[in-house]
Amino acid sequence: QGYNLKRDYFDQKSKIYESDTKRVDNVKNIANAITNKIELQKNDTILDFGSGTGLLTEHMSKHVKRIIANDISESMNKKIEEKIKDKKFFCDVNIMPENIDKISKEESIDAIVSSMTIHHIEDVQALMQTFFNILKKGGKIALADLELEDGTFHKEDTGVFHFGFDQEEFINLATKAGFIDLEIKTVSIAQKPYGTYPIFLLTGSKPQ
């Protein structure tokens, strides 16, 4: 599919990913913003798109019944497997390593969350459309990503297609896909030795 990443750019990175305390704090800020903004029920199934080592999954697992952790990075998925074995999650977590358009219509997805993944996706409009298609009616999105930056955020090549996003343009992509009740706001700041990078959260829902 047009939106997908083809290579495991995170093979080495997965091993040290959570040693960065600023990154861990950042995901906590994002998780808090998500749970404050969208209502999650104890029996919900949610999709964590670009789940990485499961930082956001951990936070979200306190609020729902089941999480589909979707990441094409084999090394990141291994980290989640370790966490499942170590009982780090508070709900059932299933790893899905392939494209999310493989999710069947029978699968009832109540919400899609994502943290700092979408700038790695080439065709964001196609991705938004896929999100819309796989969500159940009334389902929610809560997508966090970088605001427009000058390209310095990623010092190494991890398959980046966008140096962040203009908030208005990002909302427009979701609107075109059919989402309603859209709101966007800055919820965290990523701290790097060479600069600070604001992160927004877009929330919205699929019509009933």
Side-chain angles (χ1 to χ4, degrees):
Q1 279 301 311
Y3 67 76
N4 207 14
L5 272 167
K6 293 287 182 285
R7 273 178 51 205
D8 192 348
Y9 289 97
F10 291 91
D11 186 33
Q12 292 308 310
K13 214 171 178 185
S14 66
K15 297 172 181 66
I16 50 142
Y17 201 74
E18 292 181 26
S19 59
D20 182 345
T21 53
K22 289 191 176 82
R23 175 182 282 129
V24 173
D25 288 346
N26 195 23
V27 176
K28 189 179 180 183
N29 293 344
I30 290 166
N32 289 340
I34 290 172
T35 50
N36 287 335
K37 195 74 195 121
I38 66 169
E39 211 175 308
L40 294 167
Q41 309 295 334
K42 272 293 179 199
N43 61 348
D44 280 356
T45 292
I46 68 171
L47 170 74
D48 182 356
F49 177 74
S51 43
T53 59
L55 282 173
L56 184 61
T57 314
E58 278 183 64
H59 290 290
M60 293 291 113
S61 70
K62 297 168 191 160
H63 302 277
V64 297
K65 185 178 182 180
R66 178 170 164 250
I67 298 176
I68 300 168
N70 172 251
D71 204 298
I72 62 140
S73 164
E74 208 176 305
S75 45
M76 290 293 199
N77 288 335
K78 281 196 180 107
K79 286 283 175 203
I80 291 199
E81 271 169 26
E82 285 165 23
K83 285 185 177 179
I84 292 171
K85 284 193 190 95
D86 296 341
K87 299 190 168 32
K88 295 273 195 218
F89 302 119
F90 298 88
C91 74
D92 288 340
V93 174
N94 303 121
I95 296 168
M96 180 184 182
E98 65 267 28
N99 288 7
I100 55 171
D101 45 20
K102 302 280 191 296
I103 292 177
S104 75
K105 288 280 181 272
E106 287 69 56
E107 182 80 77
S108 187
I109 307 284
D110 297 282
I112 296 171
V113 300
S114 182
S115 169
M116 303 290 282
T117 298
I118 296 175
H119 61 271
H120 293 283
I121 302 301
E122 188 169 8
D123 189 343
V124 179
Q125 188 65 70
L127 178 69
M128 288 286 189
Q129 204 58 60
T130 302
F131 284 166
F132 189 86
N133 295 345
I134 64 178
L135 265 180
K136 73 177 201 186
K137 287 181 178 174
K140 309 271 190 249
I141 48 168
L143 313 173
D145 216 303
L146 280 171
E147 294 184 19
L148 265 187
E149 49 103 7
D150 58 7
T152 56
F153 183 82
H154 291 85
K155 287 289 187 200
E156 68 274 37
D157 175 21
T158 49
V160 174
F161 284 104
H162 309 274
F163 295 143
F165 298 96
D166 173 78
Q167 288 194 11
E168 205 172 313
E169 280 176 27
F170 202 74
I171 271 202
N172 286 342
L173 293 168
T175 304
K176 272 189 196 152
F179 288 105
I180 58 168
D181 304 327
L182 289 159
E183 283 182 43
I184 196 164
K185 66 172 189 176
T186 305
V187 293
S188 192
I189 306 281
Q191 307 277 353
K192 296 263 187 173
Y194 38 83
T196 55
Y197 302 86
I199 291 162
F200 61 73
L201 177 70
L202 172 76
T203 54
S205 52
K206 179 171 175 171
Q208 287 284 357

